[in-house]
Amino acid sequence: MALPERILMGPGPSTVPDRVRRAMAAPTLGHLDPRFVELLDETSSMLRELFRTSNELTFPVSATGMGGMECVVANLLEPGDQALVCINGLFGGRMADMMERYGVTVHRLEKPWGEVFTVEEIEAEVHRHPKAKVLAIVHAETSTGAHQPLEGVAKMLHEEGMLLLVDVVTSLGGHEVDLDGWYIDAAYSATQKCLSCPPGLAPVSFSPAAVEVMERRKSTVGSWYFDIGMLAKYYQGRSQRAYHHTPPVNSIYGLHEGLRIILEEGIDARIERHAKMHRRLRAGLEEIGLDYLPEQSLHTLNCVLVPKGVDESGVRATMLDTYGVEIGGGLGPLAGKVWRIGLMGHSATQANVDLVLAALVDCLE
Ligand SMILES: *Cc1c(COP(=O)(O)O)cnc(C)c1O
């Protein structure tokens, strides 16, 4: 199959290193093969390191990031529950929609796309709805580039008996994510953003408090595929693994290798590399007169305003055809107004930053 080589600098997927692709080409083993089970356990253990957690219930769900969201939502909440959802972009809105489909009453705390929430704003909402079971928030809003601070949020929720659910899809592996340090109860991510593996797996993690809440459920989980009670019998089965579904064995080889690459680089060094590449890109963009969406603060996703009179999608098409570089367009209210330039994992290099800048200069002329 002749497919073009691309440099992926959009909102995901990011470029997959050769080491990961080679790992995925290894022979497929049975999902109960002791060697595969060992490799799966190593994968979950490296995920704990990256999430900075000791949560037992940490593993890769067989689905993309949206499946990770669905797994967390379906298990933590049940029909009749109330939840608070912070919405300042596309993915917060999706969490609210998903919860409502599971029979949850959702209270939406909304801000304009691109802004973040203060602890005081969240606290006021928590006091307005003290019966809510969960507060859900996106750490890295890929639709806008907003970087939501999370320190201090969980403490106030826990005082009210609520759990904190966080989307760390575009932050894990690129920004500091500290599940235990920030007392996060449930989080999900995806392999194709800052982990630089192909799409298809969603790392998730649940705190002991979240596990307790799930054990106290009155109703069965509304999703068969994502039922944690059944999934745990396979992923945490020790020597007794119960078949639930056949996990995508070769994708797990890829994630295992991707996580090894991350730990070899070092989590702190990797986060610093993303910060450095973001500063370089930002300085270069400002030099050519391009502005960021106001308040944008993520390193991994750079949301840049399209100058007046410029053909937004035409520039993206030329970048792809002439330079083989993929960047993203805007979603929802930002459609046609912004470009989204990803600096994720293996894509976040100085060579790529300089290429994207040169290509943009050329396209804008
Ligand atoms: C990409 C993304 C998702 C969804 O992941 P998919 O792998 O596309 O299903 C969810 N949340 C955020 C913040 C994302 O950036």
Side-chain angles (χ1 to χ4, degrees), residues 11 64-67 69 91 94 138 140-142 167 169-170 188 190 192-193:
T64 70
M66 289 310 301
M69 185 190 289
F91 292 101
R94 284 189 172 186
V138 178
E141 218 351 307
T142 323
D167 177 318
V169 173
T170 295
Y188 59 90
Q192 79 276 22
K193 311 257 169 132

